[in-house]
């Protein structure tokens, strides 16, 4: 059993009395937050599984007593007491509960972070699960652990301005994680502090440029020139920094935009493809299926309440295989 540092006697019941039952549309879990809030934390002792589902929140699992198994996509994470598992927003996952146990399950809306500089780098880090263990993350583990302890105390005591305090702690956690991952990159280890800062600023300028112009016909040469690098130097630096190529990042940005647009019933799939910067409907359909495993029409049917196939931009079956 993990003994929380400076643990207070917390009332786990009063904070979540608003909750009645889970709301699912297909696999999409809705209404996960309390009214007028963007944070939900459970002190969870359930012995039943939570089958495959996804939601817009960042989910963080922290077992206290006994393990907890989490399937994310095709990977299983065996999360031990003291481990911390970050599950990115909009990732399908399955929670397997042991016969006995205790854990915190934290849900945060982080979409509004997108207005903060460096958000794209953060989301790149969070594109896959982060499984923090005391050994593998030894240099930063205690700091992260202490911040989470403060988050739980704030939430279950429901002190004045507790949400401000919780988000300030979450910002600190994500900053610590981001810097830790950044320091492990050879790009930033082999340069002087001045050069390191220059690279960081220029790469983030390039990412901001892509995020602001992905709907247009932008090229690798355009972004490299904007950032002040040669095309080949920029390609190498970008790949190491973002763990994907420029073109992969551009396409993924466009696909993410279409995921949001597909939940609207006032736009045809043709309109959505063009608004997101795709040059043709066949290209959009093919790329979307490669990235998401289903066509745009199937995605719309599954994730937006069965709206169905609204136009001839996608002529595939609305059912997933």
């Amino acid at each position: 059993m993990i003994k929380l540092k400076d643990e207070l006697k917390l009332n786990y019941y009063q904070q979540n009395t608003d909750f009645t039952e889970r709301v699912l549309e297909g696999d999409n879990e809705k209404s996960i937050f309390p009214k007028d809030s963007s944070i939900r934390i459970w002190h969870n002792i359930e012995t039943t599984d939570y089958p495959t589902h996804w939601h817009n929140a960042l989910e963080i699992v922290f077992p206290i007593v006994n393990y907890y198994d989490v399937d994310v996509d095709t990977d299983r994470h065996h999360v031990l007491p003291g481990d911390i598992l970050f599950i990115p927003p909009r990732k399908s996952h399955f929670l397997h509960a042991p016969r006995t146990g205790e854990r915190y399950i934290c849900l945060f809306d982080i979409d509004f972070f997108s207005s903060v500089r460096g958000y794209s780098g953060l989301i790149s880090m969070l594109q896959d699960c982060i499984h923090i263990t005391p050994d593998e993350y030894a240099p930063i583990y205690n700091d992260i652990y202490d911040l989470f302890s403060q988050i739980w105390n704030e939430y279950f005591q429901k002190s004045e301005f507790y949400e401000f305090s919780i988000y300030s702690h979450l910002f600190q956690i994500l900053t610590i994680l981001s810097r830790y991952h950044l320091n492990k990159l050879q790009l930033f280890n082999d340069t002087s502090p001045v050069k390191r800062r220059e690279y960081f600023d220029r790469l983030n300028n390039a990412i901001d440029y892509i995020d602001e112009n992905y709907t247009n016909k932008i090229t690798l040469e355009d972004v490299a020139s904007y950032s002040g690098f040669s095309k080949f130097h920029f390609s190498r630096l970008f790949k190491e920094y973002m763990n994907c190529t420029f073109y992969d990042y551009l396409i993924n940005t466009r696909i993410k935009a279409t995921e949001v647009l597909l939940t609207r019933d006032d736009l045809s799939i043709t309109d959505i493809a063009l608004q997101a910067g795709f040059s043709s409907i066949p290209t959009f359909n093919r790329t979307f299926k490669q990235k998401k495993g289903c066509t745009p029409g199937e995605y719309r049917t599954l994730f937006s309440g069965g709206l169905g196939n609204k136009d001839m931009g996608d002529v595939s079956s609305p059912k997933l295989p």
Side-chain angles (χ1 to χ4, degrees), residues 294-303 306-310 314-321:
C294 61
T295 67
E298 291 168 343
Y299 185 93
R300 165 170 269 177
T301 299
L302 190 61
F303 294 122
L307 292 170
N309 211 350
K310 294 186 66 65
D314 176 3
V315 294
S316 302
S317 166
K319 293 184 179 180
L320 286 175

Side-chain angles (χ1 to χ4, degrees), residues 201-216:
D201 286 341
R202 290 164 71 181
L203 286 168
N204 276 291
N205 285 338
I207 293 165
D208 289 344
Y209 181 83
I210 299 169
D211 291 345
E212 293 168 4
N213 293 279
Y214 68 88
T215 59
N216 302 319

Side-chain angles (χ1 to χ4, degrees), residues 272-289:
I272 290 169
L274 296 176
Q275 284 190 29
F278 287 95
S279 58
S280 70
I281 301 306
T283 298
F284 173 49
N285 283 337
R286 182 178 66 254
T287 304
F288 194 96
K289 188 161 188 176

Side-chain angles (χ1 to χ4, degrees), residues 22 24 27 29 50-55 91-93 95:
R22 300 179 72 201
L24 289 168
D27 290 339
E29 187 170 11
Y50 287 82
T52 300
H53 64 286
W54 67 275
H55 43 63
K91 275 276 189 181
S92 291
H93 53 287
L95 306 178

Side-chain angles (χ1 to χ4, degrees), residues 11-80:
N11 186 331
Y12 293 128
Y13 177 73
Q14 67 173 354
Q15 182 67 298
N16 292 315
T17 53
D18 67 291
F19 183 80
T20 54
E21 61 181 353
R22 300 179 72 201
V23 179
L24 289 168
E25 292 182 6
D27 290 339
N28 184 5
E29 187 170 11
K30 302 279 192 176
S31 304
I32 59 177
F33 295 118
K35 184 180 179 181
D36 300 324
S37 179
S38 55
I39 300 169
R40 170 85 77 182
I41 300 178
W42 295 104
H43 174 258
N44 181 283
I45 56 173
E46 294 295 322
T47 58
T48 55
D49 294 345
Y50 287 82
T52 300
H53 64 286
W54 67 275
H55 43 63
N56 291 330
L58 169 66
E59 183 164 342
I60 301 173
V61 178
F62 192 120
I64 305 168
V65 179
N66 212 349
Y67 68 89
Y68 207 55
D69 285 335
V70 182
D71 293 340
V72 183
D73 294 334
T74 59
D75 297 325
R76 170 160 295 190
H77 298 266
H78 186 61
V79 193
L80 298 174

Side-chain angles (χ1 to χ4, degrees), residues 112-155:
F112 71 89
F113 290 9
S114 60
S115 60
V116 179
R117 182 170 173 80
Y119 174 78
S120 296
L122 168 66
I123 289 300
S124 176
M125 179 185 71
L126 289 174
Q127 65 182 343
D128 297 311
C129 283
I130 300 176
H131 188 161
I132 296 175
T133 67
D135 291 336
E136 292 185 16
Y137 284 77
I140 61 172
Y141 178 83
N142 286 338
D143 289 338
I144 291 176
Y145 179 93
D146 287 342
L147 287 164
F148 269 120
S149 295
Q150 294 175 57
I151 284 175
W152 301 320
N153 287 334
E154 288 280 359
Y155 186 80

Side-chain angles (χ1 to χ4, degrees), residues 176-242:
I176 291 169
L177 269 176
S178 298
R179 287 175 174 170
Y180 180 72
H181 281 268
L182 199 65
N183 288 334
K184 294 174 70 175
L185 297 179
Q186 183 178 353
L187 162 65
F188 290 92
N189 282 333
D190 293 348
T191 56
S192 68
V194 173
K195 184 63 70 174
R196 168 183 169 139
R197 181 67 198 181
E198 177 190 341
Y199 281 178
F200 180 78
D201 286 341
R202 290 164 71 181
L203 286 168
N204 276 291
N205 285 338
I207 293 165
D208 289 344
Y209 181 83
I210 299 169
D211 291 345
E212 293 168 4
N213 293 279
Y214 68 88
T215 59
N216 302 319
K217 293 181 179 179
I218 57 175
T219 65
L220 172 62
E221 290 79 2
D222 294 333
V223 182
S225 176
Y226 179 83
S227 62
F229 293 114
S230 71
K231 180 175 71 172
F232 300 104
H233 194 200
F234 173 76
S235 295
R236 183 179 67 83
L237 295 176
F238 190 93
K239 177 73 161 43
E240 185 168 356
Y241 182 47
M242 296 298 289

